[in-house]
Amino acid sequence: MSPCAACKLLRRRCAKGCVFAPYFPPDEPQKFANVHKIFGASNVNKMLKDLPVHQRGDAVSSMVYEANARVRDPVYGCVGAISSLQQQVIHLQSQLTVANAKILSMQMHQAKVVPT
Amino acid sequence: MSPCAACKLLRRRCAKGCVFAPYFPPDEPQKFANVHKIFGASNVNKMLKDLPVHQRGDAVSSMVYEANARVRDPVYGCVGAISSLQQQVIHLQSQLTVANAKILSMQMHQAKVVPT
């Protein structure tokens, strides 16, 4: 059996029960490379071991996402996405407030024009 | 002069020109502790040295934000915030679409009732 992508990059034997193996298959070397570059293998190892097995897959996915974002944007990483989404939420909320005010004003106008 | 929070935690001399000192003052030990726990001091050192000085402050802020989020939520970290903001954007967009459709329908109705 070929070693997982983590053990391959770390040049170590991929022992049975390797904590990385279920999440870093040998055919996706870049997935581990970025996580290793940003968080460091020993931190990732520790973070995974501190979690119950059923949450490790999600933890790996979020770490891979964060690591890829930080490699793409070394200054803001995925915090850049958070800022831009926050801006988008503020913009949409203000557009919705304007639209709702317009609806209210039209309803009041209509009530005057067509009295029930 | 007292060593910066990073050198204090790493138990090393805080030399003149220390890459951490401008961003990790001794009176904020937790700021470095979380970044160290999640990214590792040597990765942070490397990431900062790879950036021009004027971008390092922003990089530290975003790393501190990410590290704090990961300490609070070891499974999703700040990717949890991204998912929840994305949900909020989708919800607001659909509310806005409904509001705009209502405005259009009221405008058409008004045009029939009050011909200009």
Side-chain angles (χ1 to χ4, degrees), chain A residues 64-87:
Chain A
V64 169
Y65 185 94
E66 267 185 69
N68 290 346
R70 178 70 57 185
V71 167
R72 267 200 315 274
D73 178 353
V75 181
Y76 297 104
C78 72
V79 180
I82 293 180
S83 308
S84 124
L85 281 163
Q86 279 170 337
Q87 287 304 313

Side-chain angles (χ1 to χ4, degrees), chain A residues 36-40 43 47 51 55 58-59 62-63 65-66 70 74-76 78-79 81-82 85-86 88-89 92-93 95-96 99-100 102-103 106-107 109-110 113-114, chain B residues 36-40 43 47 51 55 58-59 62-63 65-66 70 74-76 78-79 81-82 85-86 88-89 92-93 95-96 99-100 102-103 106-107 109-110 113-114:
Chain A
H36 175 51
K37 188 180 172 187
I38 301 302
F39 295 102
N43 275 355
M47 287 194 257
L51 288 172
Q55 292 192 304
D58 283 347
S62 70
M63 279 190 266
Y65 185 94
E66 267 185 69
R70 178 70 57 185
V75 181
Y76 297 104
C78 72
V79 180
I82 293 180
L85 281 163
Q86 279 170 337
Q88 219 181 323
V89 165
L92 284 166
Q93 278 169 336
Q95 282 185 300
L96 190 59
N100 283 334
K102 190 164 183 178
I103 289 171
M106 286 172 85
Q107 277 169 340
H109 179 76
Q110 219 166 5
V113 174
V114 194
Chain B
H36 175 50
K37 188 180 172 187
I38 301 302
F39 295 102
N43 275 355
M47 285 194 259
L51 289 172
Q55 293 191 305
D58 283 347
S62 69
M63 278 191 266
Y65 184 95
E66 268 186 67
R70 177 69 58 185
V75 180
Y76 297 103
C78 72
V79 179
I82 293 180
L85 282 163
Q86 279 170 337
Q88 218 181 324
V89 164
L92 284 165
Q93 278 169 335
Q95 283 185 299
L96 190 61
N100 283 334
K102 191 164 183 176
I103 290 171
M106 288 172 84
Q107 278 170 339
H109 179 76
Q110 220 165 8
V113 175
V114 195

